[in-house]
Structures are given as structure tokens and as C-alpha cells.
Amino acid sequence: MPPITIQPNDRYLTRYYSTIKELRAAQVKPTEGNMRRAFGTLLTGLGRRRKLTLIDEYATQGQGKSHIRPDGALVDEWKRPFAFWEAKDSSDNLYAEIENKKAKGYPLDNIIFEDTVTAVLYQDGYEARRTHIREKNNFAALLTQYLNYKEQARQNFNEAVQSYGEQIRDIATQLKEKIDAAHQDNPEFQRQFDEFMDLCRRSLNPNISIEAVDEMLIQHLMTERIIRRVFDVAHFTQTNVIAAKIEEVIRALTSSYFSRSDFYGSLHRFHQAIEDAAEDLDFSDKQTFINSVYEKFFQGYSVKVADTHGIVYTPQEIVDFMCAAVEEVLETEFGKKLGDEGVVIIDPATGTGNFAVNLLRRAHARNLRSFEDFYKKRLFANEVMLMPYYIASLNIEREYYELTGRAAPFEGLCFVDTLDLARERQMTFLTEANTERVERQKAADINVIIGNPPYNVGQVNENDNNKNRKYDVIDKRIRETYAKDSKATNKNALSDVYVKFFRWATDRLGDRPGIVCYVSNNSFVDQYAFDGMRKHMLEDFDRVYHLDLHGNVRQNPKISGTTHNVFGIQVGVGITLAIRKGQGGAA
């Protein structure tokens, strides 16, 4: 994208001056809170020309690991912060306020400090430009410099990503051809693969296809270097209990049929661009960045996989709201704090681990004494897609290290299909270590369930038809409850996987008081086929709250699902908070 120039008569700048004038005329004493929205509107409009989005009250980590919240950040499509903005009152001493923010560790690589009178631009740690805002030519020049910051570096990254997006399917196809050849005439690979395939069928899905397991190998090979480099974990493939098992299969593949170094050479430009882009990010920003990498990887690599598994990460604002809601209910309804003995939490479809990370931050801030036990004994998460499982493991373990200064594996994370856990018989879950984790989780008295269950069909890809996976126990429970008490003739909608997760969560609480908090497809709120589900939720819980986030294209054909829906899907989305205070149980 070529550099842009903001002219003094730019329509957004003209509108800003007009708004400021109106606000000053209407207020006896203008304040930061009342005035800053005008500057936010200015940055929103100008940012669109750079494909940047303004995020208000952007939470990040400052220098010295302090948590800070600038008034705004312009982020790119990869969720990387490109620039920051901090507003102050015109009655404040702007220079003193800037020094105060610098002392708190505010990022100075590209930030504007302003008080509607003066604007000060810092870049690369130093003051780069200062001007009175009323001086239109100078202010326009400051904004131009702000929006063109390190444009060449951004351009190099965007070109590398675009090139990779165009090549990713070809690269994956070439890798699949090598795996297919090894299936035919590499005895050691065949032996290792068959053992792993048998484990997957016993552990994840009895109907899982060879193609789906091949896909796991491809995901591992295409992303393993990024994971190691971005998170600075050189021994990841030896220490992660699932990665180590997959490495055994891949070593057999690379022994004579496949050069790993040559393969990485073909991906070097993309890998390097990702690693360079992440290098200057603090850890919390790396988490957001890698989520976006993960989402775009699957959208480019396999639309079918992305569609089947609901591969869209949960926006941090939603994660934060849901964790705050659970925290408030624990305190107001149960007299408990996050991390307290007796508060046992699970995210059953954790994706890249954002809910667990947020809960850890909150528990550490409010309950330091029991924090270590909470991390090691009372927090659980499950994931069945390989790449997000890897990222979740690193995200959660690194967050614990950031908070405590100590490294410890997160043994609450399981590589497992949550809906399989409804079965009572003893099972092996891929590896001995993973099985031990699953069994510990199954024995835990879970009383808080939070997360974003898959919103489309089955969790594990069975074949190219992407049809629903059958879960005998959960499907039977839905027939006995939601379907049995429904007056609808067509009950197919009850096979949606998010419905199965509501049924599983209710049953998982058993007779215990507890909380279920999901963000999901919200068709169940008002559609006729879900009348039985609504009936049972009212019986199973004392109170059910639902925040409608809208986005249903069928209800409003004039809107675009990808633009007006938080997950870019066609159906409505909502956050459900269900509370059971007394003894209860599934009907």
C-alpha cells in the first residue's frame, strides 16, 4: 500500500474540527471523557484508509510487565497494534501527563498524546513531532507521519502473507503427495502411522479417516516452526505430550521420503515475516496475533476444516465480558472468588486458550494465596484440533510464567473430544500422560463451565462430507430431554453441536450448584424446534440470562453476516449465562 497524505481539508479532519467546536460550545467545562470521542472518530475514519481498526481502551502490557490501557489502538487485520492514542483533559498539564505515561511503560513506538489543544507524536521512543491542533497544516502533517509509520515493514509482511495465502494449498497438496507415497512404500512410516491411527480411533473418534490423521501431520509440519519461534520454546516438540507422539510418526516420514529442511525452506519467507512481526509484541499481544494467524491459516489452508470446526477465535472483548460475568456471579450468588477452593472450572472447547488465560489473570489479581493450586488442580480445558491445542498449551503456560516468574506445565489441558467424555467406560486418550490428565478431569467436581463451543457441525472431521459426528450418550440424552419435550415436527436443529455442548454441560454439573456460560449460535432462544431445550434449561437452572449479539442474516437480509456478526457467520450469536444455586440435575 503506497504512503498516504492527509490534507488540511480532509473530510474527516474537517468533521473533527466541527465536532470539537460544537462540544466546546455546549459544555461549561469540557472533559477528556466528553471530548475524546471526536478524536476517536477521526482516527476511525483515517484508519480505514490503512485497513486499520480503532479499538477503544486497548488493554496491553507496558514496559516492566505493567498492565496498561491506552485510550485507543489502531490494529491491523492480524490484530497487531499499529499505533496508539492517549487523550487528556485540556486543563491537565499535557507534558507532565506524558511523562507520567512514559513512567508507566506506555508504548512509544507510534503514539499520539493529545488534549484537543496540542498533539504530540512519539515514534521509536522519541518525540517526533508536536503541534497545536488548530494549526491545520501541521496537524495534518503529524497525522500523515503517524499513519505512514514503518510502512515498508508492514508492506513486506503483508506481501509475504498474501503470497503464502496464495501458495498454502499448493504447499499442503505437495506435502500430502509425499505422505501418500509413504503410505504406499515406507514400512516404518506405515507402522508408526497405523499405531497412531489406532490411538486416534480409540481416543478421539472411532470413525476418524486416514485423511483426517494425514491432516494432523500436515498441520504440525506447517506450523511447528512458528510455534517454536514466536513463543521461544525450542523444545516444544519434546515437552508437549501430543507433539512428541506426532513427532515419532513424522520422523519415520522424514527418514527417507521427505526433507524437513527443504520443506521449511519453501516456507521460509512466510515464517520469517510472522516471526519478525511478533518479535516486538508483548506476550498478551502475541496471543491475539497468533489467534489471527491460526484463524487465517485454516481459512487459507482448508475452508472445509474451518467451517466444520467453527475456526473463528473469540474476540477478546467477549472473553473478558464472559469471564467478568462468571466472576461476578461467583461472588454475588455463591460468595466465592475465582481461584477459591471449591471453584473448579473447565473450558470444554478451548481453541487457543483465551478463556483460561483471562481467568488466570483474574484469579492471580484477586486470589494470590490459592493461585498455584487453582492453576494446577482446579482449572481444566479441552481441545481436539491439533494446531489450537498446541497454541493453547503455550498460551496458558506462558501466562502462568508471566504472572509468577515460574515455569510449570498446564496439566489441566487435554487433547480430547469433550463430548466423548460422557461415556463411562475406561478409555485411552492417545498417550499415557494425556489419559492421566483426562481421568483427573473426569474425577473433578466441575461447577463452572465457560467457553465458545463449535457453532457448526461435528468437532472431528470424519470425511469430506463434513457430516455430524455421532455421540451415543449425548445424542441419547438430547432425545430423552430436548427432543422428547419438543412440539416441533422437524427436530434436526437439535443435532447442532452447540446444543450438544449445552446438554453435556448441564449433565456435567450433575446435582451440583454451578454456572454455564457460553457464547454460541442463539437459534435456541426463539426458534420453534428448540422449545423442548428452553423448557429443560428453565428446569435445570434457577436463572438464565442471554445477551443477544444479533447478526442473523435471515432475520435481516440487508446486513452482511461477515460484517455485522462477531464470528462472521450467517446465524445470530449470543452469550448465555445459566445459574443453578440449589440442588438440581438434568431432567
Side-chain angles (χ1 to χ4, degrees):
M1 185 182 296
I4 63 172
T5 301
I6 308 301
Q7 300 294 342
N9 61 349
D10 185 278
R11 63 190 177 101
Y12 290 114
L13 203 50
T14 300
R15 189 181 305 165
Y16 169 72
Y17 284 119
S18 175
T19 303
I20 287 293
K21 184 177 179 180
E22 292 172 3
L23 287 171
R24 283 182 175 145
Q27 300 177 62
V28 175
K29 185 180 180 181
T31 63
E32 174 195 332
N34 294 331
M35 302 294 284
R36 72 178 184 179
R37 63 186 176 89
F39 202 88
T41 302
L42 171 65
L43 291 185
T44 297
L46 296 177
R48 291 195 189 105
R49 297 174 186 170
R50 276 275 176 250
K51 296 184 178 178
L52 301 169
T53 302
L54 181 69
I55 306 296
D56 290 326
E57 300 288 340
Y58 186 86
T60 186
Q61 188 170 289
Q63 300 296 322
K65 298 185 179 181
S66 60
H67 291 286
I68 59 173
R69 193 180 290 268
D71 287 314
L74 286 168
V75 302
D76 64 16
E77 60 180 321
W78 291 81
K79 307 301 185 289
R80 296 177 302 164
F82 168 78
F84 295 93
W85 154 57
E86 179 70 13
K88 306 309 300 180
D89 283 336
S90 58
S91 59
D92 291 335
N93 183 323
L94 182 60
Y95 311 123
E97 290 294 333
I98 291 174
E99 291 303 314
N100 180 44
K101 297 302 181 184
K102 288 165 67 175
K104 289 183 177 180
Y106 269 56
L108 300 177
D109 49 349
N110 192 26
I111 185 171
I112 290 176
F113 297 94
E114 57 84 19
D115 60 2
T116 73
V117 175
T118 302
V120 181
L121 173 64
Y122 270 76
Q123 290 183 325
D124 297 322
Y126 299 96
E127 183 178 318
R129 189 182 286 265
R130 179 189 296 259
T131 184
H132 289 292
I133 289 175
R134 68 173 180 269
E135 296 176 359
K136 295 185 179 181
N137 288 332
N138 289 339
F139 187 43
L142 180 146
L143 292 169
T144 297
Q145 184 172 339
Y146 177 70
L147 291 169
N148 289 315
Y149 176 70
K150 288 188 176 179
E151 179 54 32
Q152 188 58 52
R154 291 183 67 240
Q155 185 69 11
N156 292 343
F157 173 78
N158 291 337
E159 287 177 358
V161 169
Q162 181 178 351
S163 174
Y164 182 69
E166 294 168 352
Q167 298 175 32
I168 188 169
R169 292 188 191 180
D170 291 338
I171 294 170
T173 298
Q174 294 168 17
L175 184 52
K176 180 65 166 65
E177 289 172 355
K178 294 182 182 297
I179 293 173
D180 287 343
H183 278 306
Q184 296 299 317
D185 50 17
N186 183 335
E188 177 60 18
F189 174 76
Q190 292 167 3
R191 185 183 68 81
Q192 293 280 4
F193 185 90
D194 287 347
E195 288 182 5
F196 186 65
M197 182 78 183
D198 182 59
L199 281 171
C200 288
R201 283 183 168 156
R202 286 189 282 116
S203 305
L204 301 177
N205 181 354
N207 300 315
I208 197 170
S209 66
I210 291 174
E211 289 75 16
V213 178
D214 284 348
E215 203 165 73
M216 292 171 68
L217 303 182
I218 293 170
Q219 287 177 34
H220 179 93
L221 280 164
M222 295 185 81
T223 61
E224 178 262 333
R225 171 180 151 170
I226 294 174
I227 289 169
R228 278 191 292 111
R229 300 280 183 91
V230 169
F231 288 95
D232 192 24
V233 281
H235 303 294
F236 168 71
T237 55
Q238 287 81 47
T239 57
N240 182 279
V241 296
I242 304 301
K245 188 66 181 178
I246 291 177
E247 276 291 315
E248 294 177 10
V249 184
I250 288 177
R251 276 196 293 271
L253 173 67
T254 59
S255 60
S256 57
Y257 283 78
F258 172 72
S259 169
R260 197 163 185 165
S261 60
D262 288 348
F263 173 69
Y264 281 154
S266 67
L267 295 175
H268 177 74
R269 185 178 178 222
F270 171 73
H271 282 160
Q272 194 64 54
I274 291 290
E275 291 154 15
D276 289 347
E279 185 175 4
D280 295 330
L281 299 179
D282 62 46
F283 179 63
S284 61
D285 290 333
K286 277 184 180 181
Q287 292 173 319
T288 303
F289 173 63
I290 207 69
N291 285 344
S292 189
V293 171
Y294 146 66
E295 180 181 330
K296 290 177 184 294
F297 170 85
F298 277 105
Q299 289 171 348
Y301 163 58
S302 176
V303 175
K304 191 180 301 175
V305 172
D307 182 58
T308 299
H309 300 281
I311 307 263
V312 180
Y313 82 98
T314 314
Q316 293 293 340
E317 296 84 354
I318 290 178
V319 173
D320 199 48
F321 174 84
M322 291 171 63
C323 292
V326 164
E327 184 176 33
E328 181 176 341
V329 169
L330 279 172
E331 294 188 8
T332 59
E333 300 288 346
F334 299 100
K336 296 281 189 179
K337 292 182 180 179
L338 275 178
D340 274 357
E341 187 74 34
V343 177
V344 187
I345 303 177
I346 186 170
D347 177 355
T350 199
T352 54
N354 293 316
F355 285 97
V357 165
N358 192 295
L359 291 168
L360 284 174
R361 289 174 186 162
R362 291 173 177 276
H364 185 264
R366 294 158 178 77
N367 214 332
L368 191 58
R369 184 175 299 176
S370 62
F371 178 72
E372 187 171 345
D373 273 356
F374 177 62
Y375 175 75
K376 293 182 176 180
K377 299 178 182 178
R378 299 193 297 278
L379 180 63
F380 299 92
N382 295 338
E383 180 51 47
V384 74
M385 287 288 288
L386 188 66
M387 184 178 172
Y389 162 80
Y390 285 166
I391 296 171
S393 172
L394 294 165
N395 270 338
I396 297 167
E397 290 174 6
R398 183 55 185 260
E399 186 63 36
Y400 179 78
Y401 176 79
E402 291 284 322
L403 293 170
T404 66
R406 301 186 298 274
F410 179 53
E411 296 184 350
L413 178 64
C414 301
F415 187 59
V416 68
D417 188 331
T418 294
L419 298 182
D420 265 337
L421 300 184
R423 290 189 284 178
E424 295 182 359
R425 66 182 179 85
Q426 189 78 14
M427 294 176 63
T428 300
F429 295 95
L430 211 60
T431 70
E432 183 177 340
N434 194 54
T435 300
E436 289 176 359
R437 292 182 178 188
V438 172
E439 292 303 324
R440 186 169 69 86
Q441 179 193 122
K442 289 172 68 176
D445 291 332
I446 303 288
N447 49 24
V448 178
I449 299 170
I450 183 172
N452 174 11
Y455 56 77
N456 199 350
V457 287
Q459 263 198 296
V460 177
N461 189 22
E462 181 179 342
N463 55 37
D464 288 342
N465 293 324
N466 277 5
K467 64 185 180 182
N468 284 4
R469 159 97 190 269
K470 302 297 183 184
Y471 298 92
D472 294 341
V473 174
I474 295 297
D475 292 345
K476 182 172 182 287
R477 290 289 295 133
I478 288 175
R479 289 194 300 272
E480 293 171 343
T481 56
Y482 300 165
K484 180 181 177 182
D485 287 332
S486 173
K487 298 177 182 178
T489 303
N490 186 341
K491 304 174 185 179
N492 290 339
L494 293 175
S495 65
D496 281 356
V497 74
Y498 82 91
V499 177
K500 299 182 183 188
F501 269 87
F502 270 105
R503 182 69 268 170
W504 173 85
T506 305
D507 291 346
R508 184 63 177 85
L509 289 179
D511 291 332
R512 291 182 296 278
I515 303 167
V516 176
C517 187
Y518 281 157
V519 56
S520 70
N521 177 333
N522 68 355
S523 302
F524 73 94
V525 172
D526 55 12
Q527 292 189 15
Y528 189 56
F530 298 92
D531 56 340
M533 179 177 175
R534 290 191 292 271
K535 175 180 182 293
H536 277 272
M537 287 188 71
L538 290 174
E539 293 174 352
D540 294 334
F541 296 94
D542 295 295
R543 289 194 297 281
V544 179
Y545 299 95
H546 184 80
L547 176 62
D548 186 359
L549 300 178
H550 301 286
N552 190 324
V553 166
R554 294 173 182 85
Q555 291 180 357
N556 187 352
K558 294 181 180 180
I559 67 174
S560 164
T562 56
T563 301
H564 298 279
N565 187 294
V566 294
F567 294 132
I569 59 178
Q570 302 294 306
V571 297
V573 173
I575 296 170
T576 303
L577 182 67
I579 305 165
R580 180 197 295 162
K581 288 198 65 178
Q583 290 287 312

